[in-house]
Every structure is written in C-alpha cells, then in structure tokens.
Amino acid sequence: DSRRNGKLCLPMLKLHAIVEEVNQIPLNIGNASTKMNRMFSQADEWMKKHYQLVKRCGVECSYAPACVESASDNSPKALKMSELSSAVADADSNVSVDLDVVTTMKELLERAQIWIRQANAVVPKKDSRKKGKQEKHSIKEISDLIDESTTIVVDITDELERLKLEQSTTLSWRLQAQQTLRQLVTAFNNFRKERSDVCSIAAESNSSTSETLPTTSTAGPTAVANNIISVSMTTRNIN
C-alpha cells in the first residue's frame, strides 16, 4: 500500500473488505483489530456525511455507506467551492486514511482554485480593475480557460460570464479593426490610382503642347529667314 502525507492510501471498498476480514478472525488480534475498525469507522462516517457531495463531483465510488438516501433532485444546485473545500478539510482532520475519493476531490479542488485564479487574472472583477496596472493577456488564454471550464466541478458562473464577455468584445473589436484596415487599404489604392491617372493626363497634355510649339514661338532665326526668302521668291515668280 502507498502512503500520501503520512497517511495510508486506500479505496473505501478495500478498507471495508479488510475490516470485514479482520472481524471474522476468531482470535483476538488486539490493537490491530481496534485500529482497523477505528480507521473504517472514521472513513465510513465521512462517507455518510459527504456521499452526496462525492456524487455531485462526479467521482466514481463503488462503496455506498448504509442509511444514505439517493439524491432525488434531478437538477441539484451548483457545487460551491466552500463545500468542496470543507469536505476535503474534514477528511484531512478526521480520517486517518487517505481515501481514493478524497484524493480525487483534492485534485478537483486544486484544479478549480488554479482555474479561478487564472480567470481572475485575465478578467478581474470590477472592484479589482482599479487596483494597479492590469496585465495584458491573449485571446488564446481566454479561449483556453473557457474550454477548460467544462472540467471544473464547482460553480464558476461569474468567472465564465466575464471570460465570455471579454472574448466576445475582443473578437468584435478585432473584426472591426480588420474591416477598418481593409477600408484604409482600399482608400489608399484608389488614391494612388487617381493620382496615377492625373499624372498620365498631365503628361499627355504636355506632350501634345510640345509638338505645336516649333511652328510658332520655338522656331529659330534660320527657320524664319528661310520662310521669308521662300515667300519672296514665290512672289517674284508670279509677277
């Protein structure tokens, strides 16, 4: 048998079987028998007190203590952290063996505590937001916490609602930012095209103007003289 924190780790069903076997021994085995019966009595008392809680946690347990009624409520109230913490503390204080169901409940309690601590760090309560500078967290952290919430057995309604609201707000902002960025890119491309068209028109206009200038003001002195001589000669021939 293994030990955890100085306690013997046993399934409740196995502990019950050991005690039954010890009690069937015809000889008086003294303190060993007394000790085993005391250990079983403590564990059985704890199971009677917290059996319904064990079931609500979804912990498998093949041992059912006597005189414990089955839960009749099909939709039990959400499990509170304080209930789970109290049951684990009760086992630590009053049961001299480490039952397997208690070990599982401790793991569930620790997982819930870690999850709630991380959730509060990502989306603090309103009162906590005012204190100090907030750390920045990624959308993946929020999504991972939401996905992991299905494994948490205690009531985390408030924390989960804050996470989902933060996720919705962040995704909405991201979509809006992407849309705005696309609009800016489109507007810039249109501006660049319009500017390019204006430059092309201006270039064509300058080219057309430059082609007509040599027949007027751009003609040099030699060209003008030749034109005068040609006209003079033509006139003389006609006369």
Side-chain angles (χ1 to χ4, degrees), residues 43-59:
D44 188 58
E45 189 64 30
W46 185 91
M47 286 295 298
K48 288 178 181 178
K49 185 177 179 181
H50 300 290
Y51 183 72
Q52 297 300 340
L53 183 63
V54 172
K55 291 297 183 182
R56 288 170 63 193
C57 288
V59 177

Side-chain angles (χ1 to χ4, degrees), residues 21-38:
E21 186 176 348
V22 168
N23 290 337
Q24 290 176 5
I25 298 176
L27 300 176
N28 184 2
I29 57 176
N31 291 335
S33 175
T34 303
K35 184 177 181 180
M36 289 303 301
N37 276 279
R38 183 174 66 251

Side-chain angles (χ1 to χ4, degrees), residues 190-208:
N190 290 338
F191 171 76
R192 187 169 59 178
K193 184 177 182 302
E194 291 175 1
R195 185 176 178 83
S196 176
D197 292 344
V198 170
C199 290
S200 297
I201 294 173
E204 291 176 0
S205 177
N206 290 336
S207 176
S208 176

